[in-house]
Amino acid sequence: QVQLVESGGGLVQAGGSLRLSCAASGSIFKINGMGFYRQAPGKQRELVAVVSSGGRTNYAEAVKGRFTISRDNAKNTVYLQMNSLKPEDTAVYYCNAAHSDRGGYIRDYWGVGTLVTVSS
């Protein structure tokens, strides 16, 4: 089992910044992609940003140029730096990790989420 623990959410004014962190722990063999998704009230969960174990990144169009994702493989931790926040960024942000076991089986793990609220 792999556990993901997010931190760094909170309340911020529009134009401000927040940094989310997500640390993976437990029976880790190999973590492939790590990233953040978000879910706003009444909406489906959507991709925010992901980063591969090799450092390749992918962002949702809505956050390109404002958010930066990075990871520390030695610490099994992923970070999301969020700048120029907008009220529409308000959501619960969930960490995701794709884990491979020794047999090559890949399973997705999710954190419990952290709330980001951007006031106008």
Side-chain angles (χ1 to χ4, degrees):
Q1 289 288 331
V2 175
Q3 294 80 43
L4 301 176
V5 178
E6 303 111 331
S7 61
L11 173 65
V12 64
Q13 288 189 331
S17 298
L18 282 174
R19 187 188 193 215
L20 303 184
S21 299
C22 172
S25 63
S27 302
I28 297 172
F29 180 69
K30 181 175 187 277
I31 295 179
N32 303 303
M34 293 187 79
F36 288 90
Y37 290 69
R38 67 186 181 187
Q39 187 166 17
K43 295 188 176 181
Q44 290 189 331
R45 190 174 298 188
E46 62 179 6
L47 170 72
V48 177
V50 294
V51 55
S52 71
S53 56
R56 189 187 313 177
T57 59
N58 187 34
Y59 296 91
E61 284 296 326
V63 307
K64 281 183 180 178
R66 301 187 297 122
F67 291 10
T68 302
I69 192 167
S70 60
R71 68 188 279 177
D72 184 333
N73 290 330
K75 296 181 179 180
N76 292 315
T77 299
V78 62
Y79 307 96
L80 185 68
Q81 178 65 43
M82 305 186 293
N83 298 329
S84 302
L85 282 160
K86 305 175 181 180
E88 51 263 44
D89 294 317
T90 295
V92 177
Y93 284 69
Y94 296 91
C95 179
N96 171 269
H99 176 263
S100 296
D101 64 17
R102 294 181 183 274
Y105 176 73
I106 298 176
R107 175 179 171 179
D108 270 337
Y109 288 91
W110 294 90
V112 298
T114 185
L115 177 63
V116 171
T117 303
V118 185
S119 63
S120 57

